[in-house]
């Protein structure tokens, strides 16, 4: 069983669950990881994240309020008091926040910042197009545009807007069990921007790097372009096979993993494998890049805590993105650096990388701060579970061999059927499955497969799409 570091829920402990939540949040407030005015999740949201009753969370919040560490603002939510950060106040004092927005007013933004290409059924890596909170986002973008117009006419912080970095740090503390400060967070242009920044800062050209087999193609390409020697390490039911990695390349200086929900197989890196991986990195002086591409967005059950939350030696760089939870068109990703790397990454960002436009960052910051983000996540988790179940039931009805895989379903193809050819023919019919063989570096297994994204396959259309797709495997 997984436990987050600062909100450790141990049902066998002597302390009650309410006490454990209270102590975890009080510690986060006291040392500054939950900054003054940070908004706490609602009782409902935090209870869902931790798998406890809402009354349990309510008791913890009431104790925090009794100690004057938080205050309730009615429907607006519960916030950390201005004097809540005791030990951490000095640590954050050097990072001044932006001035409050002035009287300048811009026209309210009614659409996304940019126009996304329309998605197709079974396409992976994109959120549901019919479930985005457009009205709420339009209002948030309008306020962000007015706030951005009032910013000083100077170069922005290359690490990103402080308000967004503070919100990300607070969210990761509560939702991912990750102990970090805004000073360790850098806002980047999506996952690709975060990965590129890390690779440039670490300067590992010529070194060996473990990659998952199968694994994300874009990561593989980025590492190869940076001059690293790729070492594919097999993935099994427990995630990355660390022992195999040590056997293949014990002196590797980098490992890139998707421990929360492996891409594309969807398995979670086991606790035993996590510990062995962290021990190897510490002993070998290697770095681990954690691609937390889905974060808390797991259709069923509670997501495992971030690998970085279990790192005691400062070897893990945590990379996240809002592309899967909000929209890829925002191009907002982030990375959390170990404390000793934070200055190096900030310096590298100032030279060769830039954060997204301030208006987008301020909008995401408000979306997090208001609690809309956690409400949106809760809705999407329920929606994706329903859609994945419907897709699985349709395949089951048609006698297809399949298995759930994060926000997708892995469809096994009959022996001898070329998955690339089937995927190509499916695209001509308006569908976009992903050929599993493309996720492999080098030779793929003889038995091909298709990764079917579930996000844009409504329940009432699943059977029809599955029939058309399976017909291609028989023709």
């Amino acid at each position: 069983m997984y436990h987050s570091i600062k909100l450790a829920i141990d049902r066998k402990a002597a302390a009650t669950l309410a006490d454990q939540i209270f102590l975890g949040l009080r510690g986060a407030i006291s040392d500054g990881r939950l900054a003054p005015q940070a908004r706490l999740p609602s009782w409902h949201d935090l209870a869902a994240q931790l798998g406890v009753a809402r009354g349990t969370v309510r008791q913890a919040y009431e104790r925090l309020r009794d100690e004057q560490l938080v205050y309730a603002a009615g429907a607006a939510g519960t916030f950390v008091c201005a004097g809540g950060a005791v030990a951490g106040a000095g640590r954050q004092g050097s990072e001044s926040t932006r001035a409050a927005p002035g009287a300048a007013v811009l026209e309210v933004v009614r659409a996304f910042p940019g126009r996304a290409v329309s998605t197709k059924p079974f396409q992976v890596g994109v959120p549901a197009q019919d479930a985005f909170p457009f009205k709420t986002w339009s209002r948030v973008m309008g306020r962000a545009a007015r706030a951005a117009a009032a910013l000083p006419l100077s170069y922005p912080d290359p690490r990103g807007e402080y308000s967004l970095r503070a919100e990300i740090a607070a969210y990761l503390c509560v939702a991912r069990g990750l102990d970090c400060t805004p000073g360790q967070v850098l806002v980047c242009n999506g996952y690709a921007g975060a990965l590129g920044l890390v690779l440039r800062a670490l300067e590992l050209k010529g070194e060996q790097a473990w990659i998952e087999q199968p694994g994300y193609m874009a990561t593989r390409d980025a590492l190869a372009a940076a001059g690293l020697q790729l070492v594919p390490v097999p993935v099994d039911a427990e995630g990355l096979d660390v022992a195999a990695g040590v056997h293949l390349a014990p002196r590797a200086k980098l490992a890139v993993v998707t421990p929360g929900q492996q891409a594309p197989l969807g398995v979670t890196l086991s606790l035993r494998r996590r510990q062995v991986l962290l021990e190897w990195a510490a002993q070998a002086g290697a770095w681990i890049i954690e691609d937390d591409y889905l974060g808390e967005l797991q259709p069923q059950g509670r997501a495992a805590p971030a690998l970085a939350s279990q790192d005691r030696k400062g070897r893990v760089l945590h990379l996240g993105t809002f592309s899967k939870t909000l929209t890829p068109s925002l191009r907002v990703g982030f990375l959390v650096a170990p404390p000793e790397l934070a200055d190096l990454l900030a310096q590298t960002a100032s030279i060769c990388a830039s954060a997204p436009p301030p208006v987008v960052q301020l909008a995401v910051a408000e979306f997090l701060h208001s609690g809309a983000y956690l409400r949106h996540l809760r809705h999407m988790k329920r929606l994706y579970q329903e859609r994945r179940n419907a897709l699985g039931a349709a395949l089951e009805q048609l006698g297809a061999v399949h298995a759930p895989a994060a926000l997708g379903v892995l469809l096994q193809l009959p022996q001898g059927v070329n998955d690339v050819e089937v995927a190509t023919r499916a695209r001509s019919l308006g569908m976009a499955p992903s050929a599993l063989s493309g996720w492999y570096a080098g030779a793929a297994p003889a038995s091909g497969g298709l990764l079917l994204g579930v996000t844009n396959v409504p329940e009432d259309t699943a059977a029809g799409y599955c029939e058309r797709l399976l017909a291609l495997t028989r023709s």
Side-chain angles (χ1 to χ4, degrees), residues 25 32 53 69 101 214 284 298 310 314 351 369 397 408 450 470:
L25 290 173
L69 294 173
Q298 179 166 302
Q310 299 166 317
I351 297 171
H369 185 76
Q397 187 71 23
L450 295 175
L470 291 177

Side-chain angles (χ1 to χ4, degrees), residues 9-10 33 52 60 143 151 163 179 266 326 328 344 351 356 376 384 388 432 453-454:
I9 301 302
D10 185 354
R33 283 176 288 110
V52 300
R143 289 190 291 269
L151 294 177
S163 61
D179 181 0
L326 292 177
L344 173 62
I351 297 171
H376 176 64
Y384 291 159
R388 193 174 71 177
V454 304

Side-chain angles (χ1 to χ4, degrees), residues 5 12 19 33 58-59 90 92 110 124 186 195 201 209 217 228 235 255 269 289 292 303 351 408 410 421:
I5 298 304
K12 296 180 180 180
D19 286 344
R33 283 176 288 110
R58 178 180 179 177
Q59 292 178 38
Q92 297 182 4
R110 297 294 182 187
V124 300
L186 286 87
L195 179 61
M217 301 84 81
L228 283 90
V235 172
L269 187 63
I289 293 178
D292 196 39
I351 297 171
L410 273 175
E421 291 181 1

Side-chain angles (χ1 to χ4, degrees), residues 20 25 79 105 158 173 175 209 220 273 321 341 381 394 445 449:
Q20 294 177 49
L25 290 173
F79 298 84
V105 177
C173 173
R220 193 166 65 224
R273 291 270 179 90
T321 176
L341 282 184
K381 289 177 68 169

Side-chain angles (χ1 to χ4, degrees), residues 163-222:
S163 61
L164 178 54
R165 292 189 288 121
E167 291 297 335
I168 290 172
Y171 165 75
L172 292 175
C173 173
V174 173
R176 308 297 291 124
L178 180 51
D179 181 0
C180 65
T181 67
Q184 294 172 249
V185 178
L186 286 87
V187 182
C188 308
N189 274 288
Y191 167 74
L195 179 61
L197 177 59
V198 169
L199 294 177
R200 186 179 289 267
L202 294 182
E203 296 183 333
L204 298 176
K205 184 176 182 179
E207 298 288 354
Q208 292 178 314
W210 294 1
I211 57 171
E212 295 174 327
Q213 177 79 319
Y216 187 40
M217 301 84 81
T219 295
R220 193 166 65 224
D221 294 343

